Amino acid sequence: MPSVFETSSTAIPITFVTKSSWDAVRESLPPAQRQFATASAYAAKPGGYLALPAPDGAIAQVLFGLEDEGARSRDLFRPGALPGLLPPGTYRFVNAPHDARLAALAFALGCYRFARYRKVDRPDVRLVPPDGVDAAEITRIADAAMLARDLINTPSNDMGPEELAAAAQDLATEFGASFACTIGEDLEKDFPLIHAVGMASSRAPRLIDIGWGDLDHPKVTLVGKGVCFDTGGLDLKPSSGMLIMKKDMGGAANVLALARMVMDAKLKVRLRVLIPAVENAVAGNAFRPLDIFTSRKGITVEIGNTDAEGRLVLADALALADEEKPDLLIDLGTLTGAARVALGPDLPPFYTNDETLAADVARCAVKENDPLWRMPLWPPYDAWLDSKTATITNAPSGGFAGSITCALFLQRFVEHAKSWLHVDIYGWTPSAKPARPEGGECQAARAIYKVLSERYA
């Protein structure tokens, strides 16, 4: 998508107003514009939009409402609603919103439309970058977020393991990265859990492997869950549970978005991206409840539930990543409904035992308006993973602390990495918000990119 930013001396001004500032702003308007605002009953409510006319009938300026500074809750992405409201043209911010950089990013993200299957009207608007805002950096982040959205929004008939691998290969080619892919029966020996989950599908599972960067730089490895559709396997989901399972590769999509940001910014890292891409299907050869598989790491895993497949494919990929003893190992996946019950769709939990990393992630999540909330790797719950017939089970009975036990399961496969971060994302916006249309969403990638850019610029 072309950059939304451009320089123009004739840009239409956008004035941000709040309920508390509106009286002063109104009095500063020319009489005709003041009367027009009064006649329009404009009240500077958050999200309130009004285009004021010039004497020649053109737009003189735009008023847009924000929350007051002391408001209990402020949406720093509220300016992302503007592209859907503004007539075609180039605009500029007259005064500062709550955060000019995030407002500019929201403006860019608000221009997104998913247009693969039908014609859509894209907002024909441009923005003059606010003073001090790095337009190239904002464009880099927005482009990556839109990549994640496009991948997640694409239905599973057109986004299976092969197509996900092709998208990853395109990204690798664009940035001169290496690309390798292990496919189908070739997975059975070295990646038995990935093979087990994907073997029932007519579309062969695969392990995608991208490498980029100077070999002398710190090793950062990203692992993303790429379940391109999840029926639940033999522990079949109800139809309502399958409805948006095209998003179950949201971890892979967000890992690719994060990788795009890292490579485009040329961060000083040796980057590796691993994506186990599978479809969890139902067939005569599907893996079954109480089957036992020996993972790549040698840990035997009893299948307590075939619908807890995401942690299985991540386990083998994490074991491979861990063998290189990376400086930082990060995995993202749409893993548990328990995380959504606890924190809702907008606030993914993250897990790490690295206190410095935890503080950095939490701080950058706030700074980037990319919400994340730390949850504990609670040692007493680790015993819940015990199996009577194998080393561990993938789905402890009882149903308590599902997101925590999933994180503890994955932790069993990380032994040598200097630091590990696990994020249980949703990857989907259930109802549209400013800058966040309904559908696939880029979650956690922007916050993590900020952490990486601070460490490895």
PDB file of all heavy atoms in Angstrom, residues 279-312:
ATOM      1  N   GLU A 279      -2.874 -27.741   8.995  1.00  0.00           N
ATOM      2  CA  GLU A 279      -4.318 -27.674   9.138  1.00  0.00           C
ATOM      3  C   GLU A 279      -4.726 -28.823  10.050  1.00  0.00           C
ATOM      4  O   GLU A 279      -4.361 -29.976   9.798  1.00  0.00           O
ATOM      5  CB  GLU A 279      -5.014 -27.802   7.782  1.00  0.00           C
ATOM      6  CG  GLU A 279      -6.527 -27.741   7.873  1.00  0.00           C
ATOM      7  CD  GLU A 279      -7.199 -27.789   6.510  1.00  0.00           C
ATOM      8  OE1 GLU A 279      -6.734 -28.541   5.632  1.00  0.00           O
ATOM      9  OE2 GLU A 279      -8.194 -27.075   6.328  1.00  0.00           O
ATOM     10  N   ASN A 280      -5.458 -28.511  11.116  1.00  0.00           N
ATOM     11  CA  ASN A 280      -5.916 -29.532  12.045  1.00  0.00           C
ATOM     12  C   ASN A 280      -7.252 -30.061  11.536  1.00  0.00           C
ATOM     13  O   ASN A 280      -8.313 -29.484  11.792  1.00  0.00           O
ATOM     14  CB  ASN A 280      -6.069 -28.941  13.452  1.00  0.00           C
ATOM     15  CG  ASN A 280      -6.369 -29.997  14.504  1.00  0.00           C
ATOM     16  OD1 ASN A 280      -6.143 -31.190  14.288  1.00  0.00           O
ATOM     17  ND2 ASN A 280      -6.868 -29.562  15.651  1.00  0.00           N
ATOM     18  N   ALA A 281      -7.193 -31.145  10.778  1.00  0.00           N
ATOM     19  CA  ALA A 281      -8.362 -31.654  10.079  1.00  0.00           C
ATOM     20  C   ALA A 281      -8.849 -32.965  10.705  1.00  0.00           C
ATOM     21  O   ALA A 281      -8.224 -33.520  11.609  1.00  0.00           O
ATOM     22  CB  ALA A 281      -8.029 -31.857   8.598  1.00  0.00           C
ATOM     23  N   VAL A 282      -9.975 -33.462  10.197  1.00  0.00           N
ATOM     24  CA  VAL A 282     -10.558 -34.725  10.645  1.00  0.00           C
ATOM     25  C   VAL A 282     -10.521 -35.714   9.486  1.00  0.00           C
ATOM     26  O   VAL A 282     -11.014 -35.435   8.400  1.00  0.00           O
ATOM     27  CB  VAL A 282     -12.007 -34.520  11.120  1.00  0.00           C
ATOM     28  CG1 VAL A 282     -12.625 -35.851  11.526  1.00  0.00           C
ATOM     29  CG2 VAL A 282     -12.059 -33.531  12.277  1.00  0.00           C
ATOM     30  N   ALA A 283      -9.903 -36.873   9.733  1.00  0.00           N
ATOM     31  CA  ALA A 283      -9.840 -37.936   8.726  1.00  0.00           C
ATOM     32  C   ALA A 283      -9.516 -39.233   9.448  1.00  0.00           C
ATOM     33  O   ALA A 283      -9.277 -39.253  10.669  1.00  0.00           O
ATOM     34  CB  ALA A 283      -8.780 -37.620   7.669  1.00  0.00           C
ATOM     35  N   GLY A 284      -9.485 -40.324   8.703  1.00  0.00           N
ATOM     36  CA  GLY A 284      -9.215 -41.623   9.308  1.00  0.00           C
ATOM     37  C   GLY A 284      -7.847 -41.730   9.931  1.00  0.00           C
ATOM     38  O   GLY A 284      -7.631 -42.554  10.836  1.00  0.00           O
ATOM     39  N   ASN A 285      -6.904 -40.920   9.472  1.00  0.00           N
ATOM     40  CA  ASN A 285      -5.553 -40.972  10.020  1.00  0.00           C
ATOM     41  C   ASN A 285      -5.266 -39.814  10.975  1.00  0.00           C
ATOM     42  O   ASN A 285      -4.105 -39.522  11.284  1.00  0.00           O
ATOM     43  CB  ASN A 285      -4.519 -40.961   8.887  1.00  0.00           C
ATOM     44  CG  ASN A 285      -4.545 -39.658   8.082  1.00  0.00           C
ATOM     45  OD1 ASN A 285      -5.594 -39.026   7.978  1.00  0.00           O
ATOM     46  ND2 ASN A 285      -3.422 -39.283   7.510  1.00  0.00           N
ATOM     47  N   ALA A 286      -6.319 -39.147  11.467  1.00  0.00           N
ATOM     48  CA  ALA A 286      -6.112 -38.038  12.401  1.00  0.00           C
ATOM     49  C   ALA A 286      -5.570 -38.561  13.729  1.00  0.00           C
ATOM     50  O   ALA A 286      -5.882 -39.677  14.158  1.00  0.00           O
ATOM     51  CB  ALA A 286      -7.432 -37.305  12.633  1.00  0.00           C
ATOM     52  N   PHE A 287      -4.753 -37.735  14.390  1.00  0.00           N
ATOM     53  CA  PHE A 287      -4.273 -38.127  15.711  1.00  0.00           C
ATOM     54  C   PHE A 287      -5.441 -38.129  16.685  1.00  0.00           C
ATOM     55  O   PHE A 287      -6.420 -37.399  16.521  1.00  0.00           O
ATOM     56  CB  PHE A 287      -3.108 -37.253  16.158  1.00  0.00           C
ATOM     57  CG  PHE A 287      -3.440 -35.840  16.573  1.00  0.00           C
ATOM     58  CD1 PHE A 287      -3.113 -35.387  17.848  1.00  0.00           C
ATOM     59  CD2 PHE A 287      -4.030 -34.925  15.695  1.00  0.00           C
ATOM     60  CE1 PHE A 287      -3.381 -34.074  18.234  1.00  0.00           C
ATOM     61  CE2 PHE A 287      -4.301 -33.624  16.069  1.00  0.00           C
ATOM     62  CZ  PHE A 287      -3.976 -33.199  17.344  1.00  0.00           C
ATOM     63  N   ARG A 288      -5.365 -38.981  17.707  1.00  0.00           N
ATOM     64  CA  ARG A 288      -6.495 -39.292  18.570  1.00  0.00           C
ATOM     65  C   ARG A 288      -6.231 -38.915  20.029  1.00  0.00           C
ATOM     66  O   ARG A 288      -5.076 -38.853  20.449  1.00  0.00           O
ATOM     67  CB  ARG A 288      -6.798 -40.802  18.510  1.00  0.00           C
ATOM     68  CG  ARG A 288      -7.226 -41.310  17.144  1.00  0.00           C
ATOM     69  CD  ARG A 288      -7.106 -42.820  17.067  1.00  0.00           C
ATOM     70  NE  ARG A 288      -5.704 -43.233  17.036  1.00  0.00           N
ATOM     71  CZ  ARG A 288      -5.054 -43.576  15.917  1.00  0.00           C
ATOM     72  NH1 ARG A 288      -5.681 -43.582  14.761  1.00  0.00           N
ATOM     73  NH2 ARG A 288      -3.781 -43.927  15.961  1.00  0.00           N
ATOM     74  N   PRO A 289      -7.308 -38.691  20.791  1.00  0.00           N
ATOM     75  CA  PRO A 289      -7.135 -38.542  22.241  1.00  0.00           C
ATOM     76  C   PRO A 289      -6.453 -39.773  22.835  1.00  0.00           C
ATOM     77  O   PRO A 289      -6.749 -40.913  22.462  1.00  0.00           O
ATOM     78  CB  PRO A 289      -8.580 -38.415  22.750  1.00  0.00           C
ATOM     79  CG  PRO A 289      -9.351 -37.875  21.586  1.00  0.00           C
ATOM     80  CD  PRO A 289      -8.715 -38.503  20.384  1.00  0.00           C
ATOM     81  N   LEU A 290      -5.492 -39.523  23.710  1.00  0.00           N
ATOM     82  CA  LEU A 290      -4.663 -40.507  24.410  1.00  0.00           C
ATOM     83  C   LEU A 290      -3.589 -41.145  23.545  1.00  0.00           C
ATOM     84  O   LEU A 290      -2.853 -42.012  24.019  1.00  0.00           O
ATOM     85  CB  LEU A 290      -5.514 -41.589  25.089  1.00  0.00           C
ATOM     86  CG  LEU A 290      -6.497 -41.082  26.151  1.00  0.00           C
ATOM     87  CD1 LEU A 290      -7.100 -42.277  26.906  1.00  0.00           C
ATOM     88  CD2 LEU A 290      -5.855 -40.132  27.127  1.00  0.00           C
ATOM     89  N   ASP A 291      -3.457 -40.715  22.271  1.00  0.00           N
ATOM     90  CA  ASP A 291      -2.251 -41.066  21.522  1.00  0.00           C
ATOM     91  C   ASP A 291      -1.049 -40.458  22.249  1.00  0.00           C
ATOM     92  O   ASP A 291      -1.166 -39.442  22.951  1.00  0.00           O
ATOM     93  CB  ASP A 291      -2.307 -40.503  20.099  1.00  0.00           C
ATOM     94  CG  ASP A 291      -3.129 -41.353  19.148  1.00  0.00           C
ATOM     95  OD1 ASP A 291      -3.576 -42.441  19.558  1.00  0.00           O
ATOM     96  OD2 ASP A 291      -3.326 -40.925  17.989  1.00  0.00           O
ATOM     97  N   ILE A 292       0.115 -41.065  22.056  1.00  0.00           N
ATOM     98  CA  ILE A 292       1.349 -40.540  22.642  1.00  0.00           C
ATOM     99  C   ILE A 292       2.387 -40.397  21.538  1.00  0.00           C
ATOM    100  O   ILE A 292       2.593 -41.312  20.735  1.00  0.00           O
ATOM    101  CB  ILE A 292       1.885 -41.469  23.757  1.00  0.00           C
ATOM    102  CG1 ILE A 292       0.902 -41.501  24.927  1.00  0.00           C
ATOM    103  CG2 ILE A 292       3.264 -40.993  24.249  1.00  0.00           C
ATOM    104  CD1 ILE A 292       1.280 -42.479  26.031  1.00  0.00           C
ATOM    105  N   PHE A 293       3.036 -39.230  21.508  1.00  0.00           N
ATOM    106  CA  PHE A 293       4.075 -38.957  20.523  1.00  0.00           C
ATOM    107  C   PHE A 293       5.342 -38.508  21.241  1.00  0.00           C
ATOM    108  O   PHE A 293       5.274 -37.814  22.270  1.00  0.00           O
ATOM    109  CB  PHE A 293       3.630 -37.862  19.551  1.00  0.00           C
ATOM    110  CG  PHE A 293       2.429 -38.232  18.725  1.00  0.00           C
ATOM    111  CD1 PHE A 293       1.151 -37.906  19.154  1.00  0.00           C
ATOM    112  CD2 PHE A 293       2.576 -38.927  17.540  1.00  0.00           C
ATOM    113  CE1 PHE A 293       0.043 -38.242  18.406  1.00  0.00           C
ATOM    114  CE2 PHE A 293       1.472 -39.281  16.778  1.00  0.00           C
ATOM    115  CZ  PHE A 293       0.199 -38.940  17.214  1.00  0.00           C
ATOM    116  N   THR A 294       6.468 -38.894  20.684  1.00  0.00           N
ATOM    117  CA  THR A 294       7.752 -38.432  21.206  1.00  0.00           C
ATOM    118  C   THR A 294       8.156 -37.180  20.445  1.00  0.00           C
ATOM    119  O   THR A 294       8.340 -37.217  19.227  1.00  0.00           O
ATOM    120  CB  THR A 294       8.831 -39.506  21.056  1.00  0.00           C
ATOM    121  OG1 THR A 294       8.413 -40.686  21.746  1.00  0.00           O
ATOM    122  CG2 THR A 294      10.157 -39.023  21.635  1.00  0.00           C
ATOM    123  N   SER A 295       8.260 -36.073  21.136  1.00  0.00           N
ATOM    124  CA  SER A 295       8.556 -34.786  20.509  1.00  0.00           C
ATOM    125  C   SER A 295      10.005 -34.720  20.041  1.00  0.00           C
ATOM    126  O   SER A 295      10.824 -35.594  20.351  1.00  0.00           O
ATOM    127  CB  SER A 295       8.304 -33.660  21.510  1.00  0.00           C
ATOM    128  OG  SER A 295       9.264 -33.733  22.560  1.00  0.00           O
ATOM    129  N   ARG A 296      10.318 -33.668  19.312  1.00  0.00           N
ATOM    130  CA  ARG A 296      11.698 -33.457  18.864  1.00  0.00           C
ATOM    131  C   ARG A 296      12.652 -33.427  20.047  1.00  0.00           C
ATOM    132  O   ARG A 296      13.764 -33.952  19.972  1.00  0.00           O
ATOM    133  CB  ARG A 296      11.810 -32.148  18.080  1.00  0.00           C
ATOM    134  CG  ARG A 296      13.244 -31.829  17.638  1.00  0.00           C
ATOM    135  CD  ARG A 296      13.349 -30.509  16.914  1.00  0.00           C
ATOM    136  NE  ARG A 296      14.746 -30.259  16.549  1.00  0.00           N
ATOM    137  CZ  ARG A 296      15.339 -30.698  15.461  1.00  0.00           C
ATOM    138  NH1 ARG A 296      14.659 -31.454  14.602  1.00  0.00           N
ATOM    139  NH2 ARG A 296      16.605 -30.424  15.214  1.00  0.00           N
ATOM    140  N   LYS A 297      12.219 -32.860  21.160  1.00  0.00           N
ATOM    141  CA  LYS A 297      13.089 -32.738  22.335  1.00  0.00           C
ATOM    142  C   LYS A 297      13.228 -34.050  23.088  1.00  0.00           C
ATOM    143  O   LYS A 297      14.055 -34.167  23.998  1.00  0.00           O
ATOM    144  CB  LYS A 297      12.531 -31.644  23.252  1.00  0.00           C
ATOM    145  CG  LYS A 297      13.490 -31.212  24.345  1.00  0.00           C
ATOM    146  CD  LYS A 297      12.974 -30.009  25.093  1.00  0.00           C
ATOM    147  CE  LYS A 297      13.926 -29.612  26.216  1.00  0.00           C
ATOM    148  NZ  LYS A 297      15.246 -29.205  25.710  1.00  0.00           N
ATOM    149  N   GLY A 298      12.440 -35.065  22.733  1.00  0.00           N
ATOM    150  CA  GLY A 298      12.483 -36.336  23.431  1.00  0.00           C
ATOM    151  C   GLY A 298      11.441 -36.475  24.514  1.00  0.00           C
ATOM    152  O   GLY A 298      11.299 -37.548  25.112  1.00  0.00           O
ATOM    153  N   ILE A 299      10.721 -35.409  24.794  1.00  0.00           N
ATOM    154  CA  ILE A 299       9.629 -35.456  25.769  1.00  0.00           C
ATOM    155  C   ILE A 299       8.453 -36.190  25.138  1.00  0.00           C
ATOM    156  O   ILE A 299       8.027 -35.865  24.030  1.00  0.00           O
ATOM    157  CB  ILE A 299       9.213 -34.034  26.183  1.00  0.00           C
ATOM    158  CG1 ILE A 299      10.361 -33.314  26.898  1.00  0.00           C
ATOM    159  CG2 ILE A 299       7.971 -34.057  27.042  1.00  0.00           C
ATOM    160  CD1 ILE A 299      10.100 -31.844  27.155  1.00  0.00           C
ATOM    161  N   THR A 300       7.921 -37.175  25.833  1.00  0.00           N
ATOM    162  CA  THR A 300       6.737 -37.856  25.322  1.00  0.00           C
ATOM    163  C   THR A 300       5.489 -37.087  25.749  1.00  0.00           C
ATOM    164  O   THR A 300       5.370 -36.646  26.888  1.00  0.00           O
ATOM    165  CB  THR A 300       6.659 -39.305  25.826  1.00  0.00           C
ATOM    166  OG1 THR A 300       6.707 -39.309  27.255  1.00  0.00           O
ATOM    167  CG2 THR A 300       7.808 -40.133  25.270  1.00  0.00           C
ATOM    168  N   VAL A 301       4.572 -36.942  24.797  1.00  0.00           N
ATOM    169  CA  VAL A 301       3.384 -36.119  25.015  1.00  0.00           C
ATOM    170  C   VAL A 301       2.133 -36.963  24.790  1.00  0.00           C
ATOM    171  O   VAL A 301       1.945 -37.530  23.707  1.00  0.00           O
ATOM    172  CB  VAL A 301       3.368 -34.901  24.071  1.00  0.00           C
ATOM    173  CG1 VAL A 301       2.118 -34.052  24.331  1.00  0.00           C
ATOM    174  CG2 VAL A 301       4.626 -34.054  24.238  1.00  0.00           C
ATOM    175  N   GLU A 302       1.287 -37.035  25.817  1.00  0.00           N
ATOM    176  CA  GLU A 302      -0.005 -37.685  25.677  1.00  0.00           C
ATOM    177  C   GLU A 302      -1.033 -36.662  25.208  1.00  0.00           C
ATOM    178  O   GLU A 302      -1.061 -35.532  25.708  1.00  0.00           O
ATOM    179  CB  GLU A 302      -0.453 -38.281  27.015  1.00  0.00           C
ATOM    180  CG  GLU A 302      -1.797 -39.001  26.929  1.00  0.00           C
ATOM    181  CD  GLU A 302      -2.254 -39.517  28.280  1.00  0.00           C
ATOM    182  OE1 GLU A 302      -2.001 -38.834  29.300  1.00  0.00           O
ATOM    183  OE2 GLU A 302      -2.855 -40.607  28.314  1.00  0.00           O
ATOM    184  N   ILE A 303      -1.863 -37.041  24.253  1.00  0.00           N
ATOM    185  CA  ILE A 303      -2.856 -36.133  23.712  1.00  0.00           C
ATOM    186  C   ILE A 303      -4.099 -36.177  24.596  1.00  0.00           C
ATOM    187  O   ILE A 303      -4.908 -37.103  24.522  1.00  0.00           O
ATOM    188  CB  ILE A 303      -3.208 -36.494  22.255  1.00  0.00           C
ATOM    189  CG1 ILE A 303      -1.941 -36.569  21.395  1.00  0.00           C
ATOM    190  CG2 ILE A 303      -4.207 -35.485  21.695  1.00  0.00           C
ATOM    191  CD1 ILE A 303      -1.098 -35.320  21.406  1.00  0.00           C
ATOM    192  N   GLY A 304      -4.231 -35.181  25.445  1.00  0.00           N
ATOM    193  CA  GLY A 304      -5.413 -35.071  26.274  1.00  0.00           C
ATOM    194  C   GLY A 304      -6.593 -34.504  25.514  1.00  0.00           C
ATOM    195  O   GLY A 304      -7.745 -34.779  25.841  1.00  0.00           O
ATOM    196  N   ASN A 305      -6.301 -33.709  24.474  1.00  0.00           N
ATOM    197  CA  ASN A 305      -7.353 -33.113  23.659  1.00  0.00           C
ATOM    198  C   ASN A 305      -6.740 -32.709  22.323  1.00  0.00           C
ATOM    199  O   ASN A 305      -5.728 -32.011  22.289  1.00  0.00           O
ATOM    200  CB  ASN A 305      -7.950 -31.894  24.366  1.00  0.00           C
ATOM    201  CG  ASN A 305      -9.225 -31.399  23.715  1.00  0.00           C
ATOM    202  OD1 ASN A 305      -9.264 -31.108  22.529  1.00  0.00           O
ATOM    203  ND2 ASN A 305     -10.284 -31.290  24.500  1.00  0.00           N
ATOM    204  N   THR A 306      -7.363 -33.140  21.232  1.00  0.00           N
ATOM    205  CA  THR A 306      -6.815 -32.812  19.908  1.00  0.00           C
ATOM    206  C   THR A 306      -7.034 -31.353  19.541  1.00  0.00           C
ATOM    207  O   THR A 306      -6.458 -30.869  18.561  1.00  0.00           O
ATOM    208  CB  THR A 306      -7.437 -33.706  18.823  1.00  0.00           C
ATOM    209  OG1 THR A 306      -8.860 -33.460  18.760  1.00  0.00           O
ATOM    210  CG2 THR A 306      -7.189 -35.176  19.109  1.00  0.00           C
ATOM    211  N   ASP A 307      -7.868 -30.652  20.320  1.00  0.00           N
ATOM    212  CA  ASP A 307      -8.092 -29.231  20.061  1.00  0.00           C
ATOM    213  C   ASP A 307      -7.050 -28.360  20.756  1.00  0.00           C
ATOM    214  O   ASP A 307      -7.075 -27.142  20.622  1.00  0.00           O
ATOM    215  CB  ASP A 307      -9.502 -28.832  20.511  1.00  0.00           C
ATOM    216  CG  ASP A 307      -9.954 -27.508  19.923  1.00  0.00           C
ATOM    217  OD1 ASP A 307      -9.362 -27.077  18.914  1.00  0.00           O
ATOM    218  OD2 ASP A 307     -10.889 -26.903  20.465  1.00  0.00           O
ATOM    219  N   ALA A 308      -6.132 -28.962  21.481  1.00  0.00           N
ATOM    220  CA  ALA A 308      -4.995 -28.226  22.056  1.00  0.00           C
ATOM    221  C   ALA A 308      -3.774 -28.484  21.187  1.00  0.00           C
ATOM    222  O   ALA A 308      -2.719 -28.909  21.649  1.00  0.00           O
ATOM    223  CB  ALA A 308      -4.750 -28.657  23.496  1.00  0.00           C
ATOM    224  N   GLU A 309      -3.965 -28.248  19.883  1.00  0.00           N
ATOM    225  CA  GLU A 309      -2.938 -28.600  18.888  1.00  0.00           C
ATOM    226  C   GLU A 309      -1.879 -27.529  18.706  1.00  0.00           C
ATOM    227  O   GLU A 309      -0.753 -27.818  18.310  1.00  0.00           O
ATOM    228  CB  GLU A 309      -3.607 -28.899  17.539  1.00  0.00           C
ATOM    229  CG  GLU A 309      -3.902 -27.702  16.650  1.00  0.00           C
ATOM    230  CD  GLU A 309      -4.848 -26.672  17.257  1.00  0.00           C
ATOM    231  OE1 GLU A 309      -5.729 -27.047  18.053  1.00  0.00           O
ATOM    232  OE2 GLU A 309      -4.705 -25.481  16.929  1.00  0.00           O
ATOM    233  N   GLY A 310      -2.219 -26.262  19.003  1.00  0.00           N
ATOM    234  CA  GLY A 310      -1.274 -25.183  18.762  1.00  0.00           C
ATOM    235  C   GLY A 310       0.001 -25.331  19.565  1.00  0.00           C
ATOM    236  O   GLY A 310       1.105 -25.118  19.061  1.00  0.00           O
ATOM    237  N   ARG A 311      -0.138 -25.734  20.817  1.00  0.00           N
ATOM    238  CA  ARG A 311       1.046 -25.909  21.668  1.00  0.00           C
ATOM    239  C   ARG A 311       1.903 -27.075  21.190  1.00  0.00           C
ATOM    240  O   ARG A 311       3.115 -27.102  21.425  1.00  0.00           O
ATOM    241  CB  ARG A 311       0.608 -26.095  23.120  1.00  0.00           C
ATOM    242  CG  ARG A 311      -0.159 -27.364  23.424  1.00  0.00           C
ATOM    243  CD  ARG A 311      -0.924 -27.312  24.727  1.00  0.00           C
ATOM    244  NE  ARG A 311      -2.027 -26.359  24.647  1.00  0.00           N
ATOM    245  CZ  ARG A 311      -2.830 -26.073  25.660  1.00  0.00           C
ATOM    246  NH1 ARG A 311      -2.654 -26.681  26.841  1.00  0.00           N
ATOM    247  NH2 ARG A 311      -3.804 -25.207  25.524  1.00  0.00           N
ATOM    248  N   LEU A 312       1.278 -28.044  20.525  1.00  0.00           N
ATOM    249  CA  LEU A 312       2.048 -29.182  20.007  1.00  0.00           C
ATOM    250  C   LEU A 312       2.978 -28.738  18.884  1.00  0.00           C
ATOM    251  O   LEU A 312       4.166 -29.064  18.883  1.00  0.00           O
ATOM    252  CB  LEU A 312       1.104 -30.275  19.512  1.00  0.00           C
ATOM    253  CG  LEU A 312       0.203 -30.933  20.561  1.00  0.00           C
ATOM    254  CD1 LEU A 312      -0.773 -31.893  19.893  1.00  0.00           C
ATOM    255  CD2 LEU A 312       1.035 -31.674  21.605  1.00  0.00           C
TER     256      LEU A 312
END
